[in-house]
Amino acid sequence: MSYFDAASSLPLHPVARQALLAALDDGWADPGRPHREGRRARMLLDAARESAAEAVGCRPDELTFTPSGTRALHTGIAGALAGRRRVSRRLLVSAVEHSAVLHAAGTHEAAGGTVTELPVERTGRLRTDALRQALGEGDPAALVCLQSANHEVGSAQPVAEAAELCWAAGVPLLVDAAQSLPWGPVPGDWSLLAASAHKWGGPAGVGLLVVRKGVRFAPPPPADERERGRAAGFENIPAIVAAAASLRAVRQEAAAEAERLTALVDRIRDRVPELVPDTEVVGDPVRRLPHLVTFSCLYADGEALLHALDRAGFAVSSGSSCTSSTLTPSHVLRAMGVLSEGNVRVSLPPGTTRGEVNRFLAALPEAVGSVRAQLVPDADPVVVASGPDGVTVDALGKRCPVPVIELAAVIGTVPVGAVVTVLSDDEAARLDIPAWCHTHHHDYLGEGEADAGATAYRVRRAE
C-alpha cells in the first residue's frame, strides 16, 4: 500500500520514536516540582520548547504546548478575542480555513460576536483586496485568522501581505501553520500561530500555540497553573520532546525533500488531465505546498473513487461532495467555485519514489473508469419541457454527480444559444453545475426557485 495522505497525518518519524522512548525514562516526573526528578523533567521540557521555538522563529516564552493542534487554534482564537473584547467582537476568517477555525468562529458568533468570511480566488488564495476592505470598513476587527497553506488543495496563502495589512490596522493575525510548518517558518509579522505535531511525524496529541509578546491575550477559563495558564493539565513531556525533536529533523531534510516532491507533484499535475478526460486540477499551480495536489473527476462519485484507489493499493483522501456521510461539497471547494465531484487529494509523504507515482498514474484511469461506469444513468435524462429555446431536465431526487451527467448528455442535443434548465434538489449541484460550465466553456446563467423546494439551474450552450 502506498500511503498518499500525508496532509492528514504521518507515521512517527524515526527521530520522534527514539526521542519518545528516551523521554519515557527521564521525563515522567512533574516538571513543576523542585526535586531531582522534577528538575530533570523540567530540563527536557525547556529544551523541547527552545528547539520548537527556534523552528517556528519565536521566543521560547511565547510558545505553549497544547494537547492538539485543534486545541491550539481554539485557545488562540478564544484568548485573542477575549483580550480585545473592549475593542471589538468582530472576527475575520478566510472562507477556506480549517474546520477547527470555522467551529471556533461559530462559537464566537453564537455568543454574540460577529464573523466575516473573506472570499478567495479560484486558486484558493485569499483575496487580499477583500481583507483590506474588511479591515477598513465598519467596526474595527478584533482578530484575523488565515492559514499559511490550505489543507485540501495546498495553495499557499499571502501571509506576509496579510500580516502587513493587519499590522497597519492594529489587528492581530492568527496563522494556522499546520500544513506548512514542517517545510519552513511562516513569513511576515504575524501575531499568533498554531500547529500540530502529527502533521510532521511527531506524536498525535501535541500542538503548538505561539502568542507574540505585546499581543493582548486572555486565556479562556478555567485557569490552570500549567503552561502559563494557556494549556490545562499535566504536560506529556515524552510526546512533547518527540514532537520537538522530529520538527528539527524534518526541517533539516525539508529543502531537499521539497525539491524532490515538487517534481513528483508536477508530474501528477501534468499527467492526470492527459490520462483521465474531464478532470480539473485545482489549487494554485505555483504557490503551493511541495507535496500536495488535488484534482476533481467529472461524472465520478468521490467516495467510490477513494475505495477503488484503495483496492489498487493507494491511500488518498477527498473533499468531494459525493460522500454518503454528508452529500454536501467541501467548504473549501465551494468557496473556490471548483468541481467537487470525484475529488481526490494526493499528499506525498517524505521518501515517496517516482516509481510509486508512476504506478498511481497507471492505476488512476482504470479506477476512474470503473467508477464512472457505475454511475451511468439507468435511463435517458427525463426532459419535462422542450421548445426552440431549450429544454428542462428533471433531476429531482438524483444525487451528485447524476445531475451533471444528465446536463452533459442533453446539452449536445440543443442548438448553440439554447438554454438547458436542470431541476435539482441536491445541494452539490449549486457548486458542480457552475463549475462544469466553467470547464466546458458554456454560459452559466444562474439559478432560480422551482416547485417542491427544488432549484432550477440555467445553462446556455455556447459552442
Side-chain angles (χ1 to χ4, degrees), residues 180-248:
S180 74
L181 194 61
W183 303 104
V186 177
D189 293 324
W190 45 266
S191 303
L192 304 97
L193 179 144
S196 185
H198 73 95
K199 300 291 189 181
W200 64 71
V206 179
L208 306 181
L209 171 63
V210 178
V211 182
R212 295 285 200 191
K213 292 295 182 183
V215 175
R216 291 182 178 273
F217 192 86
D224 190 84
E225 66 274 11
R226 304 282 177 176
E227 294 292 296
R228 296 179 300 284
R230 294 176 182 173
F234 195 90
E235 296 94 341
N236 186 348
I237 293 177
I240 288 171
V241 168
S246 56
L247 180 56
R248 176 185 289 272

Side-chain angles (χ1 to χ4, degrees), residues 8-9 63-77 98 100-101 151 174-178 193-200 202-210 227 230-236 239-240 243:
S8 294
S9 190
L63 188 147
T64 298
F65 291 109
T66 65
S68 68
T70 295
R71 178 51 58 192
L73 286 169
H74 288 175
T75 301
I77 293 169
H98 190 275
V101 172
H151 295 254
L174 183 151
V175 178
D176 171 11
L193 179 144
S196 185
H198 73 95
K199 300 291 189 181
W200 64 71
V206 179
L208 306 181
L209 171 63
V210 178
E227 294 292 296
R230 294 176 182 173
F234 195 90
E235 296 94 341
N236 186 348
I240 288 171

Side-chain angles (χ1 to χ4, degrees), residues 392 421-424 430 433 444 446-450 454-458:
T392 298
T421 300
V422 180
L423 304 179
S424 176
R430 180 164 280 112
I433 289 178
Y444 178 64
E447 63 180 68
E449 293 184 0
T455 302
Y457 301 94
R458 301 178 70 245

Side-chain angles (χ1 to χ4, degrees), residues 422-446:
V422 180
L423 304 179
S424 176
D425 52 7
D426 179 16
E427 178 65 23
R430 180 164 280 112
L431 173 61
D432 285 342
I433 289 178
W436 181 89
C437 293
H438 178 86
T439 58
H440 285 71
H441 310 294
H442 293 296
D443 299 326
Y444 178 64
L445 302 180

Side-chain angles (χ1 to χ4, degrees), residues 80-97:
L81 289 172
R84 286 175 53 82
R85 62 187 178 276
R86 294 185 179 179
V87 177
S88 171
R89 300 200 67 195
R90 183 166 170 247
L91 172 64
L92 308 181
V93 301
S94 89
V96 294
E97 293 302 300

Side-chain angles (χ1 to χ4, degrees), residues 26-399:
D26 296 331
W28 52 268
D30 187 341
R33 302 305 179 195
H35 47 63
R36 180 183 300 173
E37 297 298 340
R39 293 197 305 272
R40 181 182 298 175
R42 169 58 62 181
M43 288 177 61
L44 288 173
L45 181 59
D46 289 346
R49 195 184 312 276
E50 290 176 4
S51 177
E54 181 181 2
V56 171
C58 67
R59 293 170 39 156
D61 59 351
E62 294 175 330
L63 188 147
T64 298
F65 291 109
T66 65
S68 68
T70 295
R71 178 51 58 192
L73 286 169
H74 288 175
T75 301
I77 293 169
L81 289 172
R84 286 175 53 82
R85 62 187 178 276
R86 294 185 179 179
V87 177
S88 171
R89 300 200 67 195
R90 183 166 170 247
L91 172 64
L92 308 181
V93 301
S94 89
V96 294
E97 293 302 300
H98 190 275
S99 59
V101 172
L102 300 184
H103 291 158
T107 298
H108 174 64
E109 195 168 33
T114 60
V115 177
T116 300
E117 281 198 2
L118 303 171
V120 297
E121 300 169 355
R122 190 174 174 84
T123 60
R125 280 173 59 89
L126 173 72
R127 284 179 45 195
T128 52
D129 62 324
L131 173 60
R132 181 183 293 106
Q133 182 179 352
L135 288 171
E137 67 180 13
D139 296 333
L143 177 68
V144 175
C145 295
L146 179 65
Q147 59 201 193
S148 53
N150 185 260
H151 295 254
E152 285 193 31
V153 301
S155 299
Q157 297 291 357
V159 174
E161 186 178 351
E164 185 176 346
L165 293 172
C166 290
W167 181 266
V171 179
L173 172 67
L174 183 151
V175 178
D176 171 11
Q179 290 295 341
S180 74
L181 194 61
W183 303 104
V186 177
D189 293 324
W190 45 266
S191 303
L192 304 97
L193 179 144
S196 185
H198 73 95
K199 300 291 189 181
W200 64 71
V206 179
L208 306 181
L209 171 63
V210 178
V211 182
R212 295 285 200 191
K213 292 295 182 183
V215 175
R216 291 182 178 273
F217 192 86
D224 190 84
E225 66 274 11
R226 304 282 177 176
E227 294 292 296
R228 296 179 300 284
R230 294 176 182 173
F234 195 90
E235 296 94 341
N236 186 348
I237 293 177
I240 288 171
V241 168
S246 56
L247 180 56
R248 176 185 289 272
V250 298
R251 277 292 187 81
Q252 292 173 348
E253 308 159 354
E257 196 64 17
E259 181 178 1
R260 199 177 65 80
L261 292 181
T262 295
L264 296 180
V265 166
D266 284 343
R267 176 165 175 75
I268 296 174
R269 293 183 66 92
D270 292 342
R271 291 290 290 150
V272 164
E274 297 173 356
L275 294 169
V276 183
D278 293 313
T279 297
E280 180 183 17
V281 180
V282 301
D284 196 289
V286 177
R287 297 167 294 188
R288 57 176 172 82
L289 293 168
H291 68 306
L292 194 154
V293 56
T294 299
F295 53 88
S296 297
C297 304
L298 272 167
Y299 322 131
D301 178 285
E303 187 174 26
L305 184 52
L306 262 59
H307 287 306
L309 288 170
D310 183 68
R311 290 192 295 271
F314 299 95
V316 297
S317 64
S318 174
S320 177
S321 60
C322 311
T323 61
S324 59
S325 58
T326 64
L327 291 175
T328 59
S330 148
H331 72 278
V332 171
L333 302 177
R334 184 170 61 243
M336 293 168 61
V338 299
L339 287 170
S340 69
E341 60 186 63
N343 180 261
V344 175
R345 182 185 72 178
V346 176
S347 47
L348 307 178
T352 301
T353 67
R354 186 178 179 87
E356 286 180 288
V357 168
N358 287 341
R359 287 194 294 275
F360 172 78
L361 292 172
L364 182 64
E366 182 178 352
V368 175
S370 66
V371 171
R372 284 176 171 170
Q374 297 170 15
L375 285 170
V376 174
D378 295 333
D380 293 333
V382 177
V383 176
V384 295
S386 180
D389 296 327
V391 300
T392 298
V393 177
D394 182 359
L396 296 175
K398 300 175 182 179
R399 297 304 179 192

